Amino acid sequence: MKDKVILTDCDGVLVDWVHGFSKFMKRSGYIDTGTVSYDMEKKYGIDRAECKKLVTAFNESAYMRTLSPLGAAIKYVRKLHEEHGYVFRCITSMSLCPEAYKLRQQNLDALFGPTVFEELICLDTGADKDDALEQYRGSDLFWIEDKPMNADLGIQLGLDSILVAHAFNADYAGSAIRLQGWKAIYEYMTEGSVA
């Protein structure tokens, strides 16, 4: 039996970062191009440097305290915690800013409850997760991500990688299991089945 620990990304997995960022960008006068992409510079038709500044500003803003949950995340994360005894360790490439860390922790506690997340690891904006995941090498723990590269990294490290399905990762052809939302994730974790 696996340890009762679930490793998870945050944005695009637990919370709807794109929705919050879209509100931030609209308020800042930017227009969504309608392009379906993980890369916000394509989505907004801006260069990489400008995009990085905007993402960093957003990730270090009060918006981090009010991000909405992604789909049915609250229901199924709480069920995994309360009914099955899992605790979560969140690894997020958000910001190294201590205030942003506090806002993210407050957001997660408000949405999911104060006992769900036993650890929150905030890496620099857009940082690779190699070092953060290395300590779990060969553990077969669940690792939930929305970015294909990070899901594949989990596979390489011997984790049970789950890729949260989004339009931007629809063409994923790697070895991680790609699941449509938290109900499917919950069923996979508790029953070993895929609907």
Side-chain angles (χ1 to χ4, degrees), residues 3-9 14 87-92 116-121 135-136 141-143:
D3 288 338
K4 292 286 190 167
V5 172
I6 296 170
L7 307 174
T8 183
D9 180 28
L14 298 167
V87 291
F88 288 71
R89 294 181 188 160
C90 184
I91 302 168
T92 177
V116 171
F117 293 91
E118 71 172 14
E119 188 173 15
L120 171 60
I121 300 162
Q135 65 182 306
Y136 301 105
L141 292 176
F142 291 115
W143 165 234

Side-chain angles (χ1 to χ4, degrees), residues 23-138:
K23 290 194 301 187
F24 169 81
M25 291 296 278
K26 188 173 182 180
R27 260 185 111 169
S28 302
Y30 291 85
I31 298 168
D32 186 331
T33 64
T35 303
V36 175
S37 177
Y38 184 81
D39 298 319
M40 293 298 111
E41 64 265 21
K42 291 178 184 170
K43 194 167 175 59
Y44 290 95
I46 55 178
D47 67 44
R48 186 167 288 275
E50 182 180 7
C51 184
K52 186 168 182 176
K53 282 183 193 174
L54 289 162
V55 168
T56 300
F58 174 71
N59 285 353
E60 294 178 355
S61 76
Y63 279 94
M64 288 298 105
R65 173 65 182 84
T66 60
L67 292 176
S68 56
L70 186 72
I74 291 176
K75 177 181 178 178
Y76 291 104
V77 166
R78 285 184 178 170
K79 280 175 74 72
L80 286 163
H81 177 63
E82 294 165 7
E83 296 175 19
H84 298 277
Y86 282 100
V87 291
F88 288 71
R89 294 181 188 160
C90 184
I91 302 168
T92 177
S93 299
M94 180 192 73
S95 172
L96 295 175
C97 173
E99 289 76 18
Y101 175 95
K102 288 176 193 169
L103 292 169
R104 168 128 295 171
Q105 186 71 63
Q106 289 169 356
N107 186 221
L108 291 174
D109 288 350
L111 293 174
F112 301 101
T115 62
V116 171
F117 293 91
E118 71 172 14
E119 188 173 15
L120 171 60
I121 300 162
C122 287
L123 307 173
D124 203 2
T125 307
D128 291 336
K129 296 182 179 175
D130 303 56
D131 292 341
L133 289 175
E134 179 62 39
Q135 65 182 306
Y136 301 105
R137 179 185 285 274

